[in-house]
Amino acid sequence: MPLALSAGLLTLAPARAQVRLPRLVSNGMVLQRDADVRIWGWAQPGEAVAVSFLGKTYRATTGPDGQWRVQLPHLKPGGPFEMSIKASNQLTVKDILVGDVWLCSGQSNMETPMSRLRDKYPDVIAQAANPRIRQYEVPMSYAFTKPRADVTGGSWIAADPQTVLKFSGVAYFFAREINAKYQVPVGIIKDAVGGSPAEAWLSADALKQFPKYEQQAAPYRDSAAVAGIKQKEQAAIGSWYRQLHQADQGEAPGQTPWYAPTYAATGWKTMLVPGYWADGELGLVNGVVWFRKEVEVPAGMTSKPARLELGTLVDADSTYINGKLVGTTGYQYPPRKYDFGADVLKPGRNVITVRLISNGGRGGFTKDKKYELTAGGQTLDLRGPWQYQLGATVPPTPGSTTFQYQPGGLFNGMIAPVLPYAIKGVLWYQGESNAGRTGDYQALFNGMILDWRQQFKQPNLPFLYAQLPNFMAVRKEPSESGWAEVRDVQRRGLALPHTGMAVLIDAGEWNDIHPLDKQTPGHRLALAAQKVAYGDSKLVSSGPLYQAMQTAGNKATLSFSSIGGGLVAKGEGELKGFAIAGPDKKFVWAQARIEGNKVVVWNDQVARPTVVRYAWADNPEGANLYNKEGLPASPFTTAADALLQGF
């Protein structure tokens, strides 16, 4: 971190008469072993501060800026320990461990908590009692005028079957593996924000390299203007919802509400669930559509706790059974898993009603998800015809400014306060929000890695990241893909030293941007860590990575690194996922075969191949090039100029 920025950070917290610590330096913290560990805080200018830890005392005097700092020598793993900080008052920090600290950042797939995964990993959660794995969750906070001196909240928590539900799923699986492998405590600093683009995580210094984004951030440095925008947009959205409620015939005053079990839904039409009403007679409308299904519930399912699962819904729902509200969700992504009490279901006829709000686009029920009612060990399948009725039609929801996504805001609010804290490395899972702007992303991604290394004063800081998984519908023919472009940027990022990448094209879900498999990315990031951060040079930590292409006649021969024990086509049958093009750049599917440690690719209709692509699709189903260690090859294009800079 440059000295000028460091000094700026030190002056942001107001000086106080008594010694005060940043929130990260608190009970239960994990300190980084074998590194320069800084302990810092604030007190009255000129006040003498003594920090006692492991039998030694370190002294500092608070400067005119109100901040003090001491540096501890390289620590050995262990604990729990206590630390005493004395000035005009005395503080004690308890239950301190020394081990490895990982900053885990990015967007929603890093943010996704174990609570979202409890049905997939019940045994993992039940066995999560490990006080040597801890997490600190940094609350979402953005700032545009200057970097924050401290995070806005949070505390260190140790993993147990209850607290682990708050842990990042990816980070927990990573930490569990690192803890088991190296037998040291592992601290996770969860510092992620759903939907965040890369530019939001850049420092002010780094943004100077990107005039377009620096200009975009400029208006938000005016706090009064930001407050005015918020007030105006909140008023517009509030008005939209009031208008929607007033127009909704299903909640009209003086009549039986449509969720009531006594309501007679005569004249309602039917639609197959799951599906989207834009594909049917109703067409593309926004507003409220009510759905209703009558089910016969056997007596064995009643008088017992029950669960209703409705996949994911677009966008917001309020869901009733027999007139009782059993669950509500305000946006499209969370799975609808509504648990309710034993008094809701009754033998015989039961009525499920969903009030579904479409804010914009295609509203409905996401396909290929679970739609079922479960109780007493029995399950009713809810797929099939549902009745529906339009409650209200309104224009799409007014747009609003996502301030946390603006350039530099998250760095100032969530990274800057963490910079003095010593870390082992960074885990990063992001890119979804930059798909479609890939020329920019190449410079932003590389720039961010270099920026963070400078800011943390660790030029060799290990930076390990998850490549985007497979997502969206499968296409039968070769096509362009924003997600494939992002994956290729991420692959090319490995040219920076001390980086590692987890390939995840076999770990996603076509219909969910938040795949439930968080163990695979955690495991593959742990493999990358073992090689990049822990120095296990013999470990095969990655699947095959494209290196070079040679052509002869109509055949292209590809060479790879990270082949491990050798290249294989996973599963039965031929090697798949390759497309080839000649000078006309028109891609067609190619035949491919493994010859030793290389892959030969061709299509008899392409006489002079110039470009080969592998797994180049949003959802590259069937791509099956692996190494014998079971790790998938990264998607790639052989075109050196595939991605043009956006600046």
Side-chain angles (χ1 to χ4, degrees), residues 106-109 111 140 192-197 201 404-405 410 433 514:
Q107 55 183 108
S108 53
N109 273 307
E111 194 177 28
M140 194 282 288
V193 175
S196 56
W201 298 98
Q404 65 269 32
Y405 299 167
L410 294 180
S433 292
H514 305 122

Side-chain angles (χ1 to χ4, degrees), residues 234-256:
Q234 289 171 359
I237 292 173
S239 176
W240 187 88
Y241 277 101
R242 286 192 297 273
Q243 177 186 352
L244 183 70
H245 177 70
Q246 292 168 1
D248 186 2
Q249 295 301 305
E251 295 181 327
Q255 71 168 32
T256 303

